[in-house]
Amino acid sequence: MGILGSKFQSPSQGLEDIAEGTSTNRKHGCECKKRKRNVPCDCESEQEEDDGLLDTPRRKKLKSTSRYIYQTLFLNGENSDIRICALGQEWNLHKVYLCQSGYFSSMFSGSWKESNMMEINLEIPDQNIDTEALQVVFGSLYRDDVLIKPSRVVSILAAACMLQLDGLIQQCGETMKENISTKTACGYYACASIYGLDSVMKKCLEWLLNNLMTHQNVELMKELSAEVMELLIQSSDLFVMQVEMDVYTALKKWMFLQLNTLWDGPIKQLLADADAWLCKRRTDLCEKEPFLDTEDGLPFRSVFKHVRLQYIINDLASARILERDNILPPDWLTSVYKSQWFAMLRTEFDNDNGPHEANKDEFERSSMRCGRKLTKDGDYCWRWTGFNFGFDLLVTYTNRFIVFKRNTLSQPCGGAVSLQPRRHLAYRLRLASFDSRGKLVCSRSTGYQLLTLEKDQEYVVMNLDSRLLSFPLYVCCNFLYTSPHSDQRPDSSEQESARHPDLC
């Protein structure tokens, strides 16, 4: 502060010296004026030096033109040539400024009766628009910048869309994208869908895909509509924690909250209460039919349809929970059991070693979704539960490397292990860490990859830069262990081979 203070003091001191010298010149006069013209005058040279100092620009804060216009014309309404009335309030405005709005520009430039009116009553059909939003939107026509509060952005966007103010609409969109959180994600998505902000909708969906499973929240689940939940559950970009069974469990909790809106409790109690509620319905109401076939369950069918059941029934405990809950129609499970049985037979007897070619559509539609949370830096090794067609995959995080290992002989395994010389695997691995609002702090992805592993072979999937790591770190993987096959009837040669297995 001392250095800054000395810099600021010098000009003022110089000005004081100049003022004092000028006063002396006026009081005593210039004695050199009595000399001849061709004799230099010291006073004149001093005066020139003084003029140079006076010509040096001095910074002075003036009221900006924009601020003056906003205060005088908008707030005070001086020289107004039109009055706008809406929602019980009046604004004394100016046509030349209102014409920045496409709405008013069309009104004033055409043959509409309003083009010559001094007072216009606006009909406001949109419930999202209030007087405070209109105040901000009208004021934006008189100033260079507008401060938009995240809590007010929906109302301001509605008013900006009505008045066709593209610049303000864009600013509202940017404000929404920067402030997506648990409290705003659903509201912003619904608002963006109404007013056609596709980029905001995409950003909200990305946030929900990242946070629905990683940071489960009761209030967020209450707000999620069936339409949005369906988009999330069917996506391979859903950041799943643990295994697919956890997706089903999350849906069960969400459905319970949709049907019991007054429920208020901690997230840890939610699953127990949802299970108790389902059990009570089955016993008290003697409901034998699956819940999704009941009147209350019908609105949720399309959402549950996107659960990848093939990765739930491959675990015994999970399969028993599906049977106990009696949420899903039996034919859903029957078709999945059949499909998985044939997939297992193909891997055992038809030499299906896994995907050989890139089939991204099948991968996005059918890949196994699983994940893990690493709370702090250290050494980790894990596998995801369930029978994966004899492919026991171990995942290791150590020394900032992520490694896949095909385990056949070196580590104990709870199920059968394939001993085929090579197995193929399609995968995508993503890493992410989030701030307190669920916004991505850092992220990495391998993209869609094909990998061939021999027995007990290891493969370094990702080498991480320690400068980019932030914990807790979330690991999400997508896997496809078998080749895509359509359920077709066997041709005649296959039927003949089935009847006579010894034929060549």
Side-chain angles (χ1 to χ4, degrees):
M1 288 300 293
I3 296 174
L4 290 174
S6 64
K7 287 184 178 180
F8 288 137
Q9 288 171 2
S10 298
S12 61
Q13 288 173 346
L15 287 173
E16 288 173 3
D17 292 340
I18 293 169
E20 184 178 351
T22 305
S23 176
T24 304
N25 285 341
R26 284 199 301 267
K27 182 176 181 181
H28 300 289
C30 179
E31 295 294 333
C32 301
K33 294 296 182 183
K34 300 176 182 179
R35 303 179 184 177
K36 297 180 180 179
R37 284 183 177 273
N38 57 357
V39 180
C41 172
D42 293 336
C43 293
E44 289 180 358
S45 62
E46 290 178 6
Q47 185 67 37
E48 290 175 2
E49 184 178 348
D50 293 343
D51 291 342
L53 288 172
L54 289 171
D55 288 338
T56 303
R58 295 287 180 264
R59 182 172 296 177
K60 184 178 180 181
K61 190 171 183 180
L62 300 172
K63 180 182 287 188
S64 67
T65 303
S66 176
R67 184 178 176 185
Y68 174 82
I69 290 172
Y70 181 78
Q71 178 69 44
T72 306
L73 299 185
F74 178 65
L75 294 181
N76 297 342
E78 294 186 14
N79 299 320
S80 170
D81 57 1
I82 191 167
R83 177 180 294 126
I84 303 296
C85 304
L87 300 177
Q89 190 165 325
E90 297 179 351
W91 287 267
N92 294 313
L93 304 174
H94 307 78
K95 287 186 177 181
V96 67
Y97 285 97
L98 288 177
C99 282
Q100 297 174 83
S101 155
Y103 180 87
F104 285 110
S105 178
S106 299
M107 180 185 292
F108 297 149
S109 61
S111 58
W112 304 98
K113 64 178 182 179
E114 291 89 351
S115 60
N116 297 316
M117 294 174 62
M118 300 294 293
E119 181 174 305
I120 294 176
N121 290 294
L122 283 184
E123 294 292 333
I124 310 294
D126 194 334
Q127 297 296 320
N128 286 325
I129 302 175
D130 55 22
T131 56
E132 185 178 344
L134 289 175
Q135 178 77 5
V136 172
V137 171
F138 287 143
S140 71
L141 302 173
Y142 291 80
R143 63 195 312 177
D144 296 328
D145 59 332
V146 182
L147 178 63
I148 301 176
K149 296 179 181 179
S151 60
R152 297 290 308 155
V153 68
V154 172
S155 296
I156 295 171
L157 174 62
C161 288
M162 175 185 166
L163 299 182
Q164 302 171 30
L165 293 170
D166 293 338
L168 190 56
I169 293 171
Q170 183 178 359
Q171 187 178 346
C172 288
E174 294 302 317
T175 300
M176 294 167 77
K177 286 188 280 188
E178 291 171 3
N179 291 278
I180 300 173
S181 67
T182 301
K183 295 181 178 180
T184 63
C186 295
Y188 282 0
Y189 180 88
C191 172
S193 64
I194 292 173
Y195 301 110
L197 297 187
D198 293 341
S199 63
V200 175
M201 293 175 65
K202 181 180 178 181
K203 203 72 174 178
C204 289
L205 279 178
E206 288 176 359
W207 188 94
L208 289 167
L209 287 167
N210 288 333
N211 287 272
L212 176 66
M213 302 291 295
T214 58
H215 302 84
Q216 290 193 28
N217 181 276
V218 172
E219 295 305 318
L220 178 63
M221 285 188 171
K222 285 183 178 181
E223 285 191 60
L224 278 170
S225 66
E227 174 194 358
V228 176
M229 185 61 92
E230 184 175 351
L231 292 174
L232 299 176
I233 298 303
Q234 69 181 322
S235 174
S236 281
D237 292 329
L238 180 64
F239 226 106
V240 173
M241 288 291 94
Q242 299 306 326
V243 290
E244 189 74 21
M245 181 62 183
D246 294 273
V247 178
Y248 168 83
T249 302
L251 277 187
K252 184 164 57 172
K253 294 187 285 189
W254 165 76
M255 182 177 68
F256 168 75
L257 289 173
Q258 298 296 304
L259 296 171
N260 299 270
T261 56
L262 297 180
W263 187 89
D264 185 20
I267 188 72
K268 292 181 179 180
Q269 185 62 32
L270 181 54
L271 178 57
D273 287 0
D275 283 336
W277 175 77
L278 282 168
C279 181
K280 185 176 178 61
R281 284 188 64 105
R282 291 194 301 269
T283 55
D284 292 358
L285 302 180
C286 299
E287 285 188 351
K288 295 182 179 180
E289 61 179 331
F291 181 75
L292 294 184
D293 286 342
T294 66
E295 184 178 352
D296 289 340
L298 285 176
F300 305 100
R301 284 177 65 97
S302 61
V303 183
F304 275 89
K305 194 72 175 177
H306 294 289
V307 178
R308 300 181 182 185
L309 296 172
Q310 65 268 35
Y311 301 111
I312 296 180
I313 64 169
N314 62 3
D315 178 70
L316 180 59
S318 300
R320 285 174 171 168
I321 291 174
L322 290 184
E323 297 288 340
R324 179 205 69 190
D325 287 346
N326 196 29
I327 293 175
L328 308 177
D331 57 310
W332 290 15
L333 293 172
T334 301
S335 62
V336 173
Y337 281 124
K338 178 182 177 181
S339 176
Q340 286 298 82
W341 175 249
F342 276 104
M344 188 187 73
L345 292 177
R346 285 196 302 269
T347 60
E348 289 297 314
F349 302 108
D350 199 26
N351 201 29
D352 180 7
N353 294 325
H356 292 262
E357 299 177 355
N359 190 332
K360 292 185 179 180
D361 291 339
E362 178 67 21
F363 182 82
E364 291 297 321
R365 185 169 57 251
S366 306
S367 60
M368 172 183 173
R369 302 178 291 189
C370 47
R372 177 74 183 263
K373 177 182 177 181
L374 309 183
T375 55
K376 59 182 180 180
D377 201 2
D379 294 334
Y380 298 87
C381 183
W382 70 92
R383 61 163 62 90
W384 284 286
T385 59
F387 175 73
N388 297 315
F389 307 101
F391 201 132
D392 184 34
L393 188 71
L394 299 181
V395 184
T396 303
Y397 171 83
T398 182
N399 295 324
R400 298 184 175 86
F401 286 91
I402 294 183
V403 180
F404 287 168
K405 179 181 178 180
R406 180 193 167 194
N407 176 51
T408 55
L409 303 172
S410 59
Q411 299 287 337
C413 179
V417 174
S418 170
L419 296 179
Q420 293 180 6
R422 293 182 180 84
R423 289 292 298 265
H424 308 290
L425 172 73
Y427 75 91
R428 179 182 62 187
L429 182 142
R430 290 174 291 156
L431 299 180
S433 56
F434 307 95
D435 63 14
S436 59
R437 293 195 304 170
K439 186 177 181 180
L440 274 176
V441 175
C442 64
S443 62
R444 290 278 305 275
S445 175
T446 62
Y448 176 85
Q449 300 290 335
L450 289 172
L451 177 63
T452 300
L453 291 176
E454 298 180 358
K455 296 178 182 179
D456 292 310
Q457 182 179 352
E458 294 184 350
Y459 177 78
V460 177
V461 179
M462 192 176 287
N463 180 10
L464 304 173
D465 187 341
S466 60
R467 294 171 297 178
L468 300 178
L469 286 182
S470 178
F471 289 86
L473 189 66
Y474 295 85
V475 182
C476 184
C477 291
N478 297 69
F479 295 114
L480 198 59
Y481 291 108
T482 60
S483 301
H485 281 79
S486 59
D487 293 331
Q488 296 178 345
R489 292 181 178 273
D491 58 26
S492 57
S493 62
E494 289 177 333
Q495 292 178 3
E496 184 68 20
S497 176
R499 287 196 296 268
H500 305 285
D502 294 332
L503 292 178
C504 296

